[in-house]
């Protein structure tokens, strides 16, 4: 239903624009390319619009003009037919007025909020919102916090790296990775990923149950060695960690502030003008 209303509105705006254009039909000395009803297409409309700028020769110029003329004719015919079809069913002027008012209100609210909205959100505010609304955050997929390194199978001293990896000797691991460029290295231990995202590039032998039950995993694929260190696994039924929802919480807090600010601005304007000469109640 909303889609139908939207399309009717677009048609209405086009029809209104077409009518207005017909009322203000200009007279030009430029050559006429086409006419449909009361509408006229002049050559200078293409030239002023830059449509012929990229034409490298007369053939290109003629082709561009022909394509544009055919498109213009089709649009004019649709507008004329739409005007006849819809004119008796809808109040075009009212629709256009409603749309204009909606646009004005939307842009006014954004302009008013732009300079007045407090966009600073503290860590304490985020934590408080998370604490008070944690039940509202439900995972749609399982999450994992992990470190992954992919090395070419011919990289020297893989056995030494594997020993340091299994013992979580981060210093030695980082030294090794600096000396031997890895195919891939995901070493941010605080970042959360969806399990599907992680499994998408791991060897097929590693399944979700492996991520859930194991800590250290190693598999080979296409000549590369995959080293996976599982730091934490969260099932769908669990509450997501604060770090994972911080971005959403910021958006929610800003939206709430914006809504309250708009309500206040409208009420302040009402109280200021209700007794002015602008308002007349009968």
């Amino acid at each position: 239903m909303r889609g139908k209303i939207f399309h009717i509105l677009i048609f209405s705006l086009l029809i209104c624009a077409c009518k207005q254009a017909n009322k203000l039909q200009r007279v030009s000395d430029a050559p006429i390319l086409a006419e449909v009803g009361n509408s006229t297409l002049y050559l200078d409309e293409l030239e002023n619009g830059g449509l012929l700028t990229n034409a490298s020769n007369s053939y290109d110029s003629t082709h561009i003009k022909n394509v544009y003329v055919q498109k213009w004719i089709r649009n004019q015919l649709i507008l004329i037919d739409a005007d006849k079809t819809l004119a008796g069913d809808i109040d075009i002027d009212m629709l256009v007025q409603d749309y204009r008012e909606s646009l004005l209100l939307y842009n006014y609210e954004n302009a008013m909020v732009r300079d007045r909205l407090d966009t600073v959100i503290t860590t304490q505010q985020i934590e408080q919102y998370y604490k008070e609304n944690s039940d509202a955050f439900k995972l749609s997929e399982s999450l994992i916090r992990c470190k992954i390194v992919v090395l070419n199978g011919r990289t020297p001293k893989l056995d030494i790296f594997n020993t340091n990896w299994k013992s979580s000797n981060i210093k030695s691991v980082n030294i090794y990775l600096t000396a031997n460029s890895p195919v891939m290295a995901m070493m941010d231990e605080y970042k959360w990923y969806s399990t599907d995202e992680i499994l998408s590039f791991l060897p097929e032998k590693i399944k979700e149950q492996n991520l859930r039950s194991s800590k250290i995993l190693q598999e080979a694929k296409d000549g590369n060695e995959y080293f996976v260190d599982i730091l934490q696994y969260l099932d769908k039924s669990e509450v997501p960690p604060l770090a994972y929802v911080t971005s959403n919480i910021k958006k929610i807090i800003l939206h709430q502030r914006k809504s309250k600010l708009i309500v206040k601005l409208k009420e302040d304007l009402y109280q200021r003008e209700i007794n002015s000469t602008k308002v007349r109640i009968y």
Side-chain angles (χ1 to χ4, degrees):
M1 182 64 182
R2 293 176 64 183
K4 182 178 180 182
I5 293 174
F6 174 77
H7 286 102
I8 290 175
L9 179 57
I10 294 301
F11 264 125
S12 303
L13 292 172
L14 289 172
I15 292 167
C16 189
C18 182
K19 287 181 175 180
Q20 188 67 19
N22 289 338
K23 291 178 183 177
L24 302 175
Q25 187 71 27
R26 68 189 182 90
V27 177
S28 173
D29 294 330
I32 295 176
L33 296 180
E35 290 182 333
V36 176
N38 296 323
S39 299
T40 304
L41 176 64
Y42 294 94
L43 176 62
D44 60 356
E45 293 181 44
L46 278 71
E47 295 171 340
N48 295 337
L51 292 173
L52 303 179
T53 303
N54 296 326
S56 58
N57 51 55
S58 59
Y59 174 81
D60 286 345
S61 177
T62 301
H63 178 69
I64 292 171
K65 281 190 289 187
N66 289 339
V67 170
Y68 186 86
V69 167
Q70 291 303 314
K71 181 179 179 181
W72 182 85
I73 291 173
R74 284 177 168 80
N75 286 340
Q76 296 303 313
L77 290 173
I78 289 174
L79 287 171
I80 292 172
D81 193 56
D83 189 14
K84 287 191 292 187
T85 303
L86 300 175
D89 298 331
I90 59 175
D91 188 336
I92 292 176
D93 292 334
M94 182 62 72
L95 283 173
V96 172
Q97 177 65 19
D98 288 345
Y99 186 61
R100 178 181 180 277
E101 290 177 359
S102 297
L103 285 177
L104 280 174
L105 184 59
Y106 174 78
N107 286 282
Y108 171 78
E109 289 177 352
N110 283 340
M112 292 297 100
V113 166
R114 190 180 303 121
D115 298 326
R116 294 170 173 81
L117 183 64
D118 178 12
T119 58
V120 177
I121 302 175
T122 66
T123 301
Q124 291 76 10
Q125 289 170 329
I126 294 173
E127 291 174 349
Q128 181 179 354
Y129 187 93
Y130 176 77
K131 182 179 179 180
E132 295 174 353
N133 301 276
S134 58
D135 291 340
F137 297 101
K138 293 184 178 179
L139 291 176
S140 59
E141 56 189 350
S142 53
L143 300 179
I144 188 171
R145 192 165 54 85
C146 62
K147 291 185 291 186
I148 298 176
V149 169
V150 181
L151 294 168
N152 186 285
R154 293 191 293 272
T155 306
K157 300 180 179 179
L158 276 177
D159 55 336
I160 297 177
F161 174 83
N162 191 26
T163 299
N164 290 324
W165 182 260
K166 288 181 177 179
S167 62
S168 297
N169 189 336
I170 300 301
K171 182 178 180 180
S172 296
V173 165
N174 287 334
I175 292 174
Y176 183 93
L177 294 178
T178 300
N180 302 275
S181 300
V183 176
M184 183 183 70
M186 298 165 54
M187 297 295 289
D188 187 350
E189 60 184 82
Y190 300 105
K191 186 172 181 178
W192 287 89
Y193 306 91
S194 72
T195 52
D196 288 342
E197 180 184 1
I198 295 299
L199 289 170
S200 67
F201 59 80
L202 291 181
E204 294 179 359
K205 290 183 179 180
I206 299 179
K207 308 295 183 181
E208 183 167 351
Q209 56 264 31
N210 302 126
L211 303 181
R212 184 187 296 113
S213 59
S214 304
K215 176 171 171 36
I216 299 292
L217 299 169
Q218 182 183 355
E219 285 291 345
K221 176 185 177 183
D222 299 330
N224 294 324
E225 292 290 330
Y226 289 72
F227 300 87
V228 185
D229 185 358
I230 311 299
L231 303 175
Q232 190 176 356
Y233 176 92
L234 285 179
D235 195 70
K236 294 180 183 179
S237 60
E238 299 183 68
V239 176
L242 175 59
Y244 190 73
V245 294
T246 293
S247 178
N248 284 340
I249 290 176
K250 287 181 178 179
K251 292 177 183 178
I252 292 171
I253 292 175
L254 282 177
H255 178 73
Q256 290 177 344
R257 288 181 183 177
K258 180 179 178 180
S259 298
K260 290 180 180 178
L261 180 57
I262 289 174
V263 170
K264 184 178 184 304
L265 289 172
K266 288 181 177 179
E267 183 60 23
D268 288 347
L269 179 61
Y270 175 84
Q271 294 298 335
R272 188 170 66 248
E273 300 291 349
I274 185 60
N275 295 317
S276 71
T277 57
K278 295 179 183 177
V279 180
R280 293 180 297 276
I281 301 176
Y282 301 99

